[in-house]
């Protein structure tokens, strides 16, 4: 028979005796890595980088119908120095590749990248010399969103996958302090 809270709680006169593991109220115990990762995943600031038709779906994700604010990513930043997530949405041309790399280098650490759509991920149906066959040839990509064009729900799911990845990141406090 499982022990209940009433069975493990006894009164001996004015002395109260409790058996088992009683957790104090109002105390939250965690590690610093968990707290730092929780803060990072709860305040992702994406930088809009729409290159083609997928950009319309990315913009609609920020509207009230899909409400990205509940995931802590509602602040779309216009500058790479203020953002930590780059969403590449659409076709990436050879001329745009150095610009993407420069913007990625200007983003502060830690930084993440989501490749949205078939064109950004693999070149899509455009197999020619003018377009990159995947943005991962220029910058590292953390999460890929398939589709042509992908729905805003898919981008929301990609952001939740990225949040799970951020939460599992080891040694984040040492990286924050630039020690390890």
């Amino acid at each position: 028979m499982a022990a209940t809270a009433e069975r493990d709680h006894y009164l001996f006169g004015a002395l109260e005796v409790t058996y088992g593991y009683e957790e104090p109220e109002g105390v939250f115990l965690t590690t610093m890595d968990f707290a730092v990762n929780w803060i990072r995943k709860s305040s992702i600031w994406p930088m809009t980088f729409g290159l083609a038709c997928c950009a319309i779906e990315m913009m609609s994700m920020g509207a009230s119908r899909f409400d990205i604010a509940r995931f802590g990513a509602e602040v779309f930043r216009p500058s790479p120095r203020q953002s930590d997530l780059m969403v590449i949405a659409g076709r990436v041309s050879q001329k745009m590749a150095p610009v993407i790399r420069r913007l990625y280098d200007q983003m502060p650490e830690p930084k993440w990248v989501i490749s949205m759509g078939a064109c950004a991920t693999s070149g899509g149906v455009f197999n020619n010399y003018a377009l990159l066959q995947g943005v991962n040839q220029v910058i590292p990509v953390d999460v890929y969103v398939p589709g042509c064009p992908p729905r805003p729900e898919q981008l929301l799911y990609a952001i939740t996958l990225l949040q799970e990845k951020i939460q599992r990141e080891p040694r984040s406090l040492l990286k924050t302090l630039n020690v390890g």
Side-chain angles (χ1 to χ4, degrees):
M1 180 171 164
T4 61
E6 296 88 28
R7 201 174 124 221
D8 289 344
H9 188 78
Y10 298 103
L11 285 173
F12 295 107
L15 180 65
E16 185 177 333
V17 178
T18 306
Y19 297 101
Y21 298 102
E22 182 178 337
E23 296 182 16
E25 293 183 25
V27 176
F28 182 70
L29 301 174
T30 186
T31 63
M32 285 300 291
D33 279 341
F34 182 83
V36 167
N37 289 340
W38 180 78
I39 291 167
R40 282 183 181 168
K41 85 172 185 113
S42 300
S43 63
I44 295 176
W45 288 2
M47 179 179 64
T48 57
F49 202 80
L51 297 170
C53 47
C54 292
I56 303 300
E57 303 294 326
M58 180 178 63
M59 287 182 250
S60 66
M61 181 198 57
S64 60
R65 181 176 183 186
F66 299 103
D67 190 25
I68 195 173
R70 60 191 157 147
F71 298 103
E74 75 273 8
V75 184
F76 279 98
R77 308 313 290 176
S79 170
R81 292 179 180 93
Q82 299 172 348
S83 61
D84 52 7
L85 170 64
M86 180 185 280
V87 180
I88 305 289
R91 302 182 298 272
V92 181
S93 65
Q94 295 285 349
K95 283 184 154 185
M96 191 56 81
V99 175
I100 290 174
R101 183 62 198 193
R102 184 180 311 125
L103 291 174
Y104 179 78
D105 290 339
Q106 289 176 357
M107 291 171 60
E109 290 287 339
K111 52 190 168 187
W112 301 281
V113 176
I114 292 178
S115 174
M116 180 179 179
C119 294
T121 301
S122 64
V125 297
F126 306 103
N127 189 10
N128 61 24
Y129 66 93
L131 297 177
L132 279 180
Q133 299 303 306
V135 75
N136 60 345
Q137 296 176 1
V138 181
I139 56 175
V141 176
D142 295 299
V143 180
Y144 294 93
V145 181
C148 182
R151 298 273 310 146
E153 294 93 348
Q154 289 175 279
L155 186 54
L156 284 174
Y157 181 64
I159 289 176
T160 58
L161 287 177
L162 182 64
Q163 287 177 331
E164 290 174 10
K165 180 179 179 178
I166 294 169
Q167 187 64 50
R168 291 190 312 263
E169 184 178 344
R171 301 172 48 100
S172 57
L173 180 64
L174 294 176
K175 291 176 188 174
T176 303
L177 298 174
N178 205 10
V179 176

